[in-house]
Amino acid sequence: MILAAKTIEEFRSEFKSVDISEVPYDKQGYHLAIEAQTGNLLNIVEFLDRREFYIVDLFCVDYQDYLELVYFFNTHRELCRVKVTLKLDPEKPVAPTISHIYTIARWYEREAHEFFGIYFEGHPGLTYLFLHSGIDHYPLRRKHVPVPDNDRQLLDSFKPQEEEDCFFVNLGPQHPSTHGVLRVVLKMDGEYIVSAEPVLGYLHRMHEKMAESKSYLQFLPNPARMDYPGALLFNLAHVETVEKLCGIAVPERAKYIRTITCELNRIASHLLWLGAFPADLGGLTPFMYAFDDRENILDILEGVTGSRLTYCYFRFGGLYNDIDEESFVSATKRFIERMRERLVMYDKLITGNVIFINRIKNVGIMEQAKVRKYGSSGPFIRSTGIPFDMRKVDPYEAYGSIDFEIPTGHTGDNMDRYLVRMKEMEISLNIIEEAMKKLPSGPFQTEKVPKKLKPPKGDIYHAIESTRGETGVYIVSDESDTPYRMRWRVPSYSNLMTFPYLAQGLLIADAIATLGSYDIVVPEIDR
Amino acid sequence: MARFDIARFGAEIFRASPRQADLMIVSGTVTKKMAPILVTLYEQMPSPKWVIAMGNCAISGGPFVFKGQYNLVEGVDLLVPVDVYVPGCPPRPEGLLEGLMKLEEKITGTRRFPGPESKW
């Protein structure tokens, strides 16, 4: 809050004519709102860049009379979310690019271009990122706006051009080590990578478009299908945002159960990664052990939620049903005990393995200073030494009353990313244990939550810490029972976009190891 | 160790190349961008070859079919012939194992184990 006040002061002295306003944080989820013009947008973004803000998200909302570009910024030191908006003419939407200031904007702007038809002046390559070549309109526009003929050449998103002494390798979209259907076009010089270019959209399932035609309740199963290994956390992001938007209170017991189940899901997701990461390096044994442990969590969560993988357990104002205290608590305790023993075993089996260490140490180093240019989050940035975790920065559910530490790394290489995740599993076990001790009795669901939610007019951004980082939901409500616009800020997307930077000059085998250390989930990136 | 072991049915060998495969399991949503690649993969497989559509998305588009959708192939059987459909969102491991046995039954004409009895 101190930072927000200081930023206002500095902003007002630098920009006399631009309006900056304070926004109630607990209602809208951001502190400051700035209305920029095409002329001064770059100055404002540079102002924020000098104050070491990182870019959270960049997207567009179609209000029919005008298009609004929304930029979200935040800092790693203290929670201070800034929303910068830029109004554009829907007939001829042109905005200046900020990709030379924040690198990730290169991809966000391409996304805004293909879904809304916005042109960015000075963008290095405004081609399509997600959509297939048969699309003839801008899908997320409210009215049917056809793609102009001279833009059709951009549709075939990526066609490599042969150059002398170089050749191209298509990694994916059906390659097993891309963990889904991610495609990366690698420009190779012998066995070394000259440049890497991710091509997305092979699993684009139109979640954001779907949200516009479904009520808040009907959209509940969708988030779980975005991030299937960490389904409960995405479920939570959606539920919490709607609760905050409508002002629905959640009983204490539900908060604790949400915390426990979410942490269990976090461990399950990390275990999936623990199996897949050494497998990318050629070691298939850990896969068998990690999946064995993961089955235990799936059993516990299946007993509570009723499904094995794509959970939809949280409801607005509470939970779908209460836990069976006896069986759930005893099973979780047994699991914690077992998992602690297993973590010791993993230390011996994987962490202490000399070949494993030498393969991943000092490979794929991400500098701390570069991280905010990409807006990365989660274990990925904690491995570079930034102790930034939404659970700590902006405590939600029961995290405020539980004491836990945030593991960080030093160099930000593959080894650090591995160690941070291993430590996180241990800490999640502690969180679960403490939350189970403090688990209060009482109702698990607030009474009087209407079936048809009609939130007040306005917008809200709310973020939680999912397995891979900051997962945010931005909702614009127009007082109807469906969201006017729902935007998902997903962590894998901004993490993945550092790959072109990290892969440069690596051997192809090391690049695969680096990609494995990201723990990306493709349905989440493609949405 | 691993609870759901398809090695029991002699089906555990995983090949990263379609040229060495005789079964393709389509285990997710097929988008219009992915469709040409999927067809290429199928054509790269040597005969005899079989396809399992795993999950509601691969069967019919599942929950992602809605009015105005622009990126979905509503069922992989619109692209390649499918032998066995395994429903679920996602299917349980037992479901996939049953799918494999169904395929075995289709190929050989005999069933390895008695199937589950119908309750209704």
Side-chain angles (χ1 to χ4, degrees):
Chain A
M1 284 317 280
I2 308 155
L3 190 68
K6 203 174 134 213
T7 312
I8 291 188
E9 215 171 273
E10 285 176 347
F11 189 88
R12 286 210 173 117
S13 65
E14 196 157 327
F15 300 95
K16 297 255 156 37
S17 57
V18 189
D19 191 38
I20 182 165
S21 52
E22 245 181 299
V23 178
Y25 177 76
D26 31 307
K27 282 217 175 105
Q28 287 180 279
Y30 51 91
H31 298 92
L32 305 171
I34 302 170
E35 272 191 39
Q37 307 288 327
T38 320
N40 58 22
L41 177 81
L42 284 180
N43 295 341
I44 291 169
V45 175
E46 271 162 11
F47 168 86
L48 293 168
D49 182 39
R50 280 199 299 278
R51 271 149 197 81
E52 295 193 329
F53 277 77
Y54 75 91
I55 182 162
V56 179
D57 207 352
L58 193 175
F59 55 93
C60 183
V61 186
D62 182 4
Y63 287 103
Q64 307 222 38
D65 302 340
Y66 57 91
L67 292 173
E68 191 177 71
L69 270 181
V70 184
Y71 302 76
F72 268 107
F73 296 93
N74 193 3
T75 70
H76 286 134
R77 284 162 288 146
E78 192 189 325
L79 195 68
C80 175
R81 270 198 206 106
V82 182
K83 181 181 131 182
V84 181
T85 52
L86 177 67
K87 281 181 188 168
L88 297 172
D89 176 19
E91 299 299 320
K92 225 179 147 229
V94 183
T97 180
I98 62 160
S99 57
H100 54 287
I101 308 171
Y102 287 101
T103 324
I104 182 79
R106 228 179 96 192
W107 289 278
Y108 279 138
E109 283 171 359
R110 278 169 75 181
E111 196 186 334
H113 170 70
E114 62 187 318
F115 285 105
F116 290 91
I118 298 169
Y119 293 89
F120 290 91
E121 265 177 350
H123 190 284
L126 207 58
T127 51
Y128 275 50
L129 183 62
F130 282 94
L131 296 173
H132 61 97
S133 52
I135 200 98
D136 59 347
H137 62 288
Y138 295 115
L140 285 178
R141 286 284 280 266
R142 287 267 149 173
K143 281 183 215 139
H144 185 88
V145 182
V147 177
D149 282 339
N150 50 353
D151 266 16
R152 297 225 165 223
Q153 55 193 352
L154 305 176
L155 279 170
D156 243 342
S157 48
F158 193 84
K159 280 252 167 73
Q161 252 132 49
E162 293 286 336
E163 281 172 45
E164 242 178 288
D165 292 339
C166 283
F167 63 97
F168 288 88
V169 171
N170 240 330
L171 183 67
Q174 76 282 19
H175 196 279
S177 68
T178 55
H179 301 274
V181 283
L182 170 73
R183 177 180 168 205
V184 186
V185 181
L186 302 172
K187 187 175 167 188
M188 307 290 298
D189 181 5
E191 193 60 24
Y192 290 91
I193 294 169
V194 179
S195 69
E197 182 66 37
V199 182
L200 308 176
Y202 290 98
L203 207 54
H204 173 60
R205 299 196 279 197
M206 309 160 284
H207 285 288
E208 285 173 15
K209 178 87 180 170
M210 239 170 134
E212 286 170 17
S213 58
K214 289 196 166 196
S215 72
Y216 292 97
L217 194 66
Q218 282 174 326
F219 193 70
L220 266 181
N222 277 48
R225 274 141 191 93
M226 281 187 221
D227 182 359
Y228 56 89
L232 273 178
L233 296 124
F234 266 58
N235 193 190
L236 184 72
H238 175 235
V239 168
E240 269 200 359
T241 313
V242 176
E243 276 165 1
K244 215 168 163 184
L245 183 65
C246 304
I248 301 168
V250 183
E252 275 301 302
R253 186 178 171 80
K255 283 186 181 173
Y256 273 85
I257 296 174
R258 280 180 181 185
T259 310
I260 295 168
T261 46
C262 275
E263 287 308 315
L264 278 172
N265 205 177
R266 191 186 304 275
I267 299 173
S269 172
H270 278 354
L271 279 171
L272 182 88
W273 161 83
L274 180 65
F277 180 45
D280 284 343
L281 297 160
L284 289 166
T285 313
F287 194 86
M288 297 290 172
Y289 287 100
F291 266 58
D292 191 18
D293 288 337
R294 186 168 161 267
E295 285 291 341
N296 286 287
I297 303 179
L298 297 190
D299 280 348
I300 296 171
L301 288 180
E302 192 181 341
V304 187
T305 65
S307 50
R308 223 179 103 86
L309 193 66
T310 44
Y311 313 112
C312 176
Y313 178 48
F314 306 142
R315 295 288 186 276
F316 307 126
L319 311 163
Y320 159 64
N321 63 6
D322 204 353
I323 54 169
D324 175 11
E325 203 141 317
E326 210 167 296
S327 65
F328 177 82
V329 172
S330 63
T332 314
K333 273 188 182 147
R334 246 180 298 145
F335 169 74
I336 292 173
E337 224 167 272
R338 174 201 159 100
M339 192 63 203
R340 286 205 170 119
E341 278 169 26
R342 298 284 278 198
L343 282 172
V344 177
M345 187 201 70
Y346 287 132
D347 267 352
K348 283 186 196 150
L349 181 71
I350 314 170
T351 321
N353 187 316
V354 183
I355 301 172
F356 180 74
I357 295 171
N358 287 326
R359 268 300 299 279
I360 62 173
K361 207 158 179 108
N362 291 323
V363 177
I365 298 172
M366 188 70 199
E367 293 93 354
Q368 200 188 66
K370 273 238 158 51
V371 151
R372 62 183 188 85
K373 298 277 183 189
Y374 289 93
S376 314
S377 53
F380 185 78
I381 69 159
R382 291 198 279 277
S383 71
T384 66
I386 303 171
F388 186 78
D389 190 319
M390 291 313 289
R391 289 177 292 176
K392 207 74 166 179
V393 181
D394 182 20
Y396 51 92
E397 302 306 335
Y399 289 109
S401 48
I402 292 170
D403 188 37
F404 63 97
E405 55 171 316
I406 301 169
T408 51
H410 302 287
T411 46
D413 59 353
N414 288 350
M415 188 71 191
D416 271 355
R417 289 194 272 279
Y418 168 82
L419 289 175
V420 163
R421 285 208 184 85
M422 291 305 277
K423 188 86 186 142
E424 256 182 35
M425 280 199 257
E426 211 179 306
I427 285 161
S428 288
L429 289 176
N430 297 344
I431 295 176
I432 296 166
E433 208 169 38
E434 200 176 326
M436 285 209 303
K437 261 184 218 149
K438 290 183 179 168
L439 182 67
S441 53
F444 64 90
Q445 171 81 32
T446 314
E447 279 168 37
K448 288 184 239 156
V449 176
K451 281 236 168 70
K452 246 188 180 174
L453 286 172
K454 284 190 178 169
K457 213 171 169 137
D459 65 342
I460 185 168
Y461 178 86
H462 180 69
I464 63 144
E465 185 77 19
S466 85
T467 332
R468 276 152 274 279
E470 179 181 347
T471 303
V473 188
Y474 179 78
I475 295 178
V476 179
S477 161
D478 59 347
E479 280 181 307
S480 69
D481 60 340
T482 59
Y484 185 77
R485 169 97 164 97
M486 187 188 275
R487 161 75 184 183
W488 282 79
R489 181 256 188 254
V490 285
S492 285
Y493 186 88
S494 43
N495 289 357
L496 173 73
M497 290 319 172
T498 59
F499 184 67
Y501 170 68
L502 291 191
Q504 264 174 21
L506 284 185
L507 280 171
I508 201 162
D510 286 337
I512 298 282
T514 308
L515 197 61
S517 78
Y518 278 75
D519 186 24
I520 48 163
V521 174
V522 178
E524 174 195 319
I525 298 171
D526 284 354
R527 278 157 286 152
Chain B
M1 291 300 282
R3 198 184 298 175
F4 301 102
D5 185 8
I6 57 173
R8 286 181 293 158
F9 312 107
E12 88 278 24
I13 294 214
F14 166 79
R15 291 279 183 238
S17 164
R19 295 179 184 92
Q20 298 169 329
D22 45 21
L23 167 66
M24 173 162 76
I25 300 177
V26 183
S27 62
T29 318
V30 183
T31 59
K32 281 183 184 160
K33 197 168 179 175
M34 194 66 195
I37 298 155
L38 190 133
V39 174
T40 311
L41 279 173
Y42 180 74
E43 284 167 356
Q44 280 173 342
M45 287 164 64
S47 281
K49 53 189 170 185
W50 295 275
V51 177
I52 290 181
M54 177 184 172
N56 293 353
C57 280
I59 293 173
S60 67
F64 301 103
V65 181
F66 64 99
K67 205 172 153 247
Q69 66 92 353
Y70 53 85
N71 204 31
L72 197 72
V73 177
E74 294 180 15
V76 70
D77 49 6
L78 298 174
L79 301 170
V80 294
V82 175
D83 296 281
V84 176
Y85 297 86
V86 181
C89 187
R92 291 190 58 87
E94 296 92 332
L96 183 63
L97 294 184
E98 174 64 21
L100 281 172
M101 288 201 280
K102 262 268 179 297
L103 185 68
E104 196 183 24
E105 196 182 336
K106 182 176 173 176
I107 297 168
T108 61
T110 51
R111 199 186 155 84
R112 197 190 283 253
F113 301 110
E117 272 171 44
S118 174
K119 279 185 184 164
W120 295 283

